[in-house]
Amino acid sequence: MLTVFGSTALDTIRTPTRVLKGVLGGAATFAGISASYFVKTGLIAVVGKDFPKKYHNTLARNLDLRGFKIQEGKTFRYDGSYDETLSTRTTLKTELNVLGNFKPIVPEEYRKSKFVYLANNDPVQNAELIKEFDNVKFSMCDTIEFWIKNKKSSVIKMIKSVDAVVINDEEAKLLTKEHNLIKCAKKIMNWGTKYVVIKKGEHGSLLFFDDVIFPSVAFSLEDIVDPTGAGDSFAGAMIGYLASKRCTNLSTIKKAVVYGNVLGSFAVEKYGLDGILNLKKSQISKRIKHYEKMIRF
Ligand code: AMP
């Protein structure tokens, strides 16, 4: 089983073509749903009493919700706006609400999870949560500008507590104060994690391990409408694939990164979660084959 912990949100997303208000989002939501195509996935997250029933049903259709809590108060809310190129997002508002002082409890059934993903979330909560698992084979975390700016030393502590870090290029630079991505990755590995995956949006990703660098391209697309959650979908697919194989050797991790790129590509094709909801497994395998054909020479 895979456990995913992190934000479940009501997002406001402003793109040049559409504004979505109060839609289901959150790093753990995207990651969990993406992972669920590969393995049974349990979600640990909290929402407020304002969380719409239809969104609860969407989560329940895809995920094990024994770790999901509805608390008095408002759901975490995120408001972000893309520029006309869709490659730069400005955060307009982050309201932690019930996520702010959430004390997550790991359900007994989740404690034996061998794979744990700490999606974007308070790094203090993330680092505490990982200690609750009995026998983790592979753990991974992500972080975002908000936490790097507000809790940088806790982000570094969280990084020490996991096997792998997935992070956007801009955030890797902000966190390490380096300009070169190889230098960024080396610094992050020196903090105590074994693998670093730097996501570069439409330019794919770089996987680092010891002195190995594995670059992988993004699946090329002509029509992108909303990049929100692409990074989370990438990470969810990556760890979901590893969990399904119960294997974490380097060649499996490289394949997992390719699955990450492919699920990330589905995410950006539609607004909000729609790109990764209700996919058929055959659509995923078809795109993997197409990806393989694209990069072969
Ligand atoms: P991504 O586009 O992959 O960076 O992920 C966007 C998702 O992350 C949105 O659905 C937001 O709800 C969520 N998010 C944004 N800021 C934060 C934050 N500070 N902590 C946790 N989740 C966040």
Side-chain angles (χ1 to χ4, degrees), residues 7 9 11 25-27 30 76 78 82 89 94 99 120-121 144 146-147 168 227-232:
S7 60
D11 284 342
F30 280 100
F76 172 88
Y78 176 78
Y82 290 94
R89 183 174 68 201
T94 303
L99 191 64
N120 221 324
N121 192 20
I144 203 168
F146 180 85
W147 300 113
N168 277 349
T228 309
D232 308 310

Side-chain angles (χ1 to χ4, degrees), residues 6-13 23-30 76-79 82 89 91 93-96 99 119-122 142-147 150 168 171 199 226-234:
S7 60
T8 288
L10 294 175
D11 284 342
T12 293
I13 303 297
V23 295
L24 177 58
T29 308
F30 280 100
F76 172 88
R77 280 168 196 259
Y78 176 78
D79 187 335
Y82 290 94
R89 183 174 68 201
T91 295
K93 234 190 271 169
T94 303
E95 291 174 15
L96 295 179
L99 191 64
N120 221 324
N121 192 20
D122 184 329
D142 188 5
T143 194
I144 203 168
E145 184 185 4
F146 180 85
W147 300 113
N150 292 302
N168 277 349
E171 277 141 357
K199 298 170 288 178
D226 175 12
T228 309
D232 308 310
S233 305
F234 176 108

Side-chain angles (χ1 to χ4, degrees), residues 135-167:
N135 193 11
V136 177
K137 186 175 166 75
F138 190 86
S139 56
M140 191 163 91
C141 74
D142 188 5
T143 194
I144 203 168
E145 184 185 4
F146 180 85
W147 300 113
I148 298 170
K149 286 200 167 148
N150 292 302
K151 297 195 175 183
K152 182 169 168 180
S153 61
S154 305
V155 169
I156 295 172
K157 260 194 210 148
M158 166 178 77
I159 286 172
K160 277 188 211 313
S161 70
V162 292
D163 298 296
V165 174
V166 283
I167 186 164

Side-chain angles (χ1 to χ4, degrees), residues 74-208:
K74 280 171 75 180
T75 303
F76 172 88
R77 280 168 196 259
Y78 176 78
D79 187 335
S81 175
Y82 290 94
D83 70 356
E84 70 280 9
T85 69
L86 285 176
S87 53
T88 307
R89 183 174 68 201
T90 307
T91 295
L92 303 176
K93 234 190 271 169
T94 303
E95 291 174 15
L96 295 179
N97 298 328
V98 289
L99 191 64
N101 47 17
F102 181 43
K103 302 268 175 297
I105 295 171
V106 180
E108 210 38 54
E109 304 82 356
Y110 291 18
R111 283 185 191 273
K112 300 220 164 352
S113 293
K114 293 234 180 322
F115 292 79
V116 178
Y117 179 53
L118 306 172
N120 221 324
N121 192 20
D122 184 329
V124 180
Q125 288 181 21
N126 274 356
E128 281 302 310
L129 189 99
I130 193 74
K131 294 185 200 152
E132 300 289 315
F133 292 84
D134 298 333
N135 193 11
V136 177
K137 186 175 166 75
F138 190 86
S139 56
M140 191 163 91
C141 74
D142 188 5
T143 194
I144 203 168
E145 184 185 4
F146 180 85
W147 300 113
I148 298 170
K149 286 200 167 148
N150 292 302
K151 297 195 175 183
K152 182 169 168 180
S153 61
S154 305
V155 169
I156 295 172
K157 260 194 210 148
M158 166 178 77
I159 286 172
K160 277 188 211 313
S161 70
V162 292
D163 298 296
V165 174
V166 283
I167 186 164
N168 277 349
D169 46 3
E170 290 310 319
E171 277 141 357
K173 290 177 189 172
L174 180 72
L175 177 63
T176 59
K177 297 204 162 66
E178 297 286 355
H179 302 296
N180 176 284
L181 294 179
I182 301 177
K183 286 200 167 72
C184 292
K186 282 188 173 166
K187 204 160 183 177
I188 297 173
M189 287 192 284
N190 276 335
W191 288 332
T193 191
K194 288 199 270 298
Y195 304 89
V196 174
V197 180
I198 299 188
K199 298 170 288 178
K200 302 190 295 166
E202 62 181 316
H203 304 297
S205 65
L206 295 170
L207 162 71
F208 296 87

